[in-house]
Amino acid sequence: MKDYKKPLFVMTDSVSEGVYMASGDSNCWTAEARSVQNWNGSHHVFQMEATHTSAVQHIYTAVTIEMTFNNVIKEAYSENNWNCIVAGNKVTVTRENHGNGYGSGDNAGGFKVWVKSIDEATTKGLECTRCSPRCHSAVNVQGGF
């Protein structure tokens, strides 16, 4: 378990519904990127596969995946225009989800990320050497609050 975060709860006499909380490892996603096209005329295309563990059930509002490459990235974008940030050899993609997505074996995979390096040869030779996912979990409050 990494970085245990003690759950916070608030008791309110005017609310009669229950609150369900999850505890444990905040890194509840696994992610993998595989090359599906090394040159489409301008970019190298990677297919992202991300799966939420079935061992933890909580609401998540997004998953952020930091991709590390073997060379500097100059440009990147993702399917569905999800937030995509480039910094050196890293690309960080945040896939937003509706606020009541339960994390119990959910699959956020099947989306593509297009990346471009300094020239055609370098772009063709790009490899994703690491994928680091992070869950954006939220408290499950029943009763419309």
Side-chain angles (χ1 to χ4, degrees):
M1 185 178 340
K2 299 177 186 175
D3 300 305
Y4 175 76
K5 294 179 183 176
K6 183 178 178 180
L8 172 67
F9 71 96
V10 177
M11 292 181 59
T12 307
D13 293 331
S14 62
V15 177
S16 61
E17 297 292 334
V19 176
Y20 300 88
M21 301 170 76
S23 178
D25 194 346
S26 62
N27 192 10
C28 47
W29 286 89
T30 57
E32 176 183 25
R34 62 182 171 82
S35 173
V36 291
Q37 187 176 12
N38 72 353
W39 186 249
N40 71 350
S42 62
H43 290 76
H44 194 132
V45 185
F46 288 86
Q47 176 81 20
M48 295 301 304
E49 298 294 338
T51 304
H52 194 281
T53 181
S54 58
V56 176
Q57 185 172 358
H58 57 222
I59 290 177
Y60 64 93
T61 58
V63 59
T64 296
I65 303 170
E66 182 182 83
M67 303 166 67
T68 303
F69 291 91
N70 63 331
N71 217 314
V72 174
I73 303 300
K74 295 293 181 185
E75 178 183 303
Y77 63 93
S78 70
E79 209 165 27
N80 298 319
N81 294 317
W82 289 313
N83 189 25
C84 205
I85 299 169
V86 175
N89 69 333
K90 297 181 189 293
V91 175
T92 304
V93 180
T94 300
R95 180 190 181 274
E96 300 290 336
N97 188 34
H98 53 84
N100 61 350
Y102 286 88
S104 182
D106 290 347
N107 186 343
F111 67 92
K112 291 181 174 62
V113 177
W114 289 260
V115 294
K116 183 177 185 177
S117 191
I118 54 177
D119 57 25
E120 180 179 339
T122 309
T123 299
K124 285 181 178 179
L126 285 174
E127 295 176 18
C128 183
T129 58
R130 185 168 188 242
C131 283
S132 301
R134 184 171 58 89
C135 187
H136 300 266
S137 58
V139 176
N140 178 4
V141 178
Q142 302 296 318
F145 294 95

